[in-house]
Amino acid sequence: MWRFSGNQLKRWRTKANVSREQLAAAANYSPDTIKAMEQGVRMPTPRVLDVADELCRAEGLLSAAKEYLSREKFPPRAQEFMEREKEAIALWSYETMLVPGLLQTEGYARALIESRYPPLDEETVEKRVAARIERQALLTARRPPVALSFVLHEAALRGPFVDAGQLCHLLDVSRLRNVDVQVLPFERATSDAHLGSMVLLEVRDHERLAFTEGPLASELTADPELVSRVTGRLSMIRARAFSPDESARFLERMVDRHD
């Protein structure tokens, strides 16, 4: 809906011979922000739609889009991955600094989302927290169950938002028959373990997809060479991590120290 509304915004603006700069000035936005809205990268705001409707003489057709626009559950760069995640029959994940979204408690998820910069409005925070918890149905709701494997660098467990409740939740999830949780301790981490987080998905047609995420960019790809590279890195990291049983004992010791 963002993309459709943005496309219509651009079409009406072009048809009315209104420049992007003129619309930006009238709506009190930068031209780059208007461009992002027209390209579907940002959601067109009610003010922009109303100003554009008047400038372009759209007779209410642009303003009418306000009723259908709502904030997306996920950031734009992650939306395609979230859609493919729903199709997964197997998932392998490695996280360097954060507890994976599928394993987060509501409190941990909220703390992360609320600390984003630039800050998000309250409505977006609530929707993203709810969406993150909703994703966790993948752990238990599917029949047959999805095979899930998680490796967490020890640094992810030492973060400021990790409390005893989050550690206990990791232990609870690790007891599910379809879930493996492993910890990669500091002393076993090689240089490959510091290259960033990654996820490997296998979907219903047995296609494999690799997802890598950084602070400013993410990539979802089915390119065989890149998928093979991610598979190799994941295999090496899993081999160096504690076994699931050792990891559970490690987490139990962390819980005891929190208590």
Side-chain angles (χ1 to χ4, degrees):
M1 194 61 196
W2 286 23
R3 287 189 289 272
F4 178 76
S5 297
N7 178 269
Q8 290 299 303
L9 178 63
K10 182 178 180 179
R11 286 175 179 272
W12 276 99
R13 180 181 60 74
T14 303
K15 180 181 178 182
N17 199 28
V18 174
S19 70
R20 189 175 286 145
E21 289 73 17
Q22 287 174 307
L23 175 56
N28 199 26
Y29 282 94
S30 72
D32 284 344
T33 298
I34 299 298
K35 181 179 180 180
M37 291 179 184
E38 292 181 344
Q39 292 177 338
V41 176
R42 293 187 61 169
M43 185 182 76
T45 64
R47 183 167 80 245
V48 166
L49 291 170
D50 284 340
V51 170
D53 194 279
E54 184 175 349
L55 280 178
C56 302
R57 299 182 181 85
E59 298 181 354
L61 294 176
L62 283 173
S63 292
K66 294 185 296 183
E67 181 181 349
Y68 302 96
L69 284 174
S70 61
R71 297 205 176 271
E72 297 284 358
K73 293 180 179 180
F74 305 108
R77 65 179 182 161
Q79 286 171 17
E80 184 179 3
F81 169 75
M82 299 305 174
E83 289 302 313
R84 299 310 299 270
E85 184 185 74
K86 295 175 185 176
E87 306 170 22
I89 59 174
L91 179 150
W92 300 265
S93 168
Y94 170 63
E95 275 286 350
T96 55
M97 299 302 295
L98 301 173
V99 175
L102 289 171
L103 304 183
Q104 293 174 7
T105 62
E106 182 175 344
Y108 181 92
R110 183 178 299 281
L112 283 182
I113 292 168
E114 286 182 340
S115 66
R116 287 280 306 274
Y117 184 85
L120 301 171
D121 62 80
E122 192 61 31
E123 180 186 358
T124 301
V125 169
E126 293 302 323
K127 286 193 174 184
R128 290 192 180 175
V129 171
R132 189 161 298 182
I133 301 306
E134 183 182 302
R135 282 176 60 205
Q136 297 176 7
L138 193 72
L139 299 171
T140 57
R142 288 268 295 278
R143 295 293 180 271
V146 180
L148 300 158
S149 173
F150 300 92
V151 181
L152 286 73
H153 193 293
E154 185 177 345
L157 304 175
R158 305 288 183 184
F161 303 129
V162 177
D163 57 12
Q166 177 62 72
L167 294 170
C168 288
H169 182 66
L170 289 173
L171 278 168
D172 290 342
V173 172
S174 73
R175 297 184 182 109
L176 297 172
R177 289 189 301 107
N178 61 312
V179 179
D180 281 338
V181 175
Q182 294 176 258
V183 175
L184 178 68
F186 289 124
E187 64 270 18
R188 293 194 184 185
T190 62
S191 58
D192 268 358
H194 298 104
L195 295 179
S197 304
M198 52 190 166
V199 179
L200 189 67
L201 290 177
E202 183 173 346
V203 293
R204 291 190 181 98
D205 57 4
H206 297 291
E207 179 185 23
R208 288 198 171 188
L209 304 165
F211 181 68
T212 54
E213 188 169 18
L216 299 176
S218 304
E219 180 182 19
L220 179 67
T221 180
D223 181 272
E225 182 178 344
L226 294 177
V227 168
S228 176
R229 191 180 306 165
V230 169
T231 301
R233 279 186 60 210
L234 277 168
S235 297
M236 290 176 61
I237 288 170
R238 290 178 70 200
R240 296 194 64 85
F242 287 147
S243 71
D245 287 342
E246 290 173 317
S247 298
R249 291 192 289 271
F250 183 89
L251 289 168
E252 287 168 353
R253 291 194 295 271
M254 289 192 71
V255 171
D256 290 340
R257 286 195 287 271
H258 269 271
D259 291 342

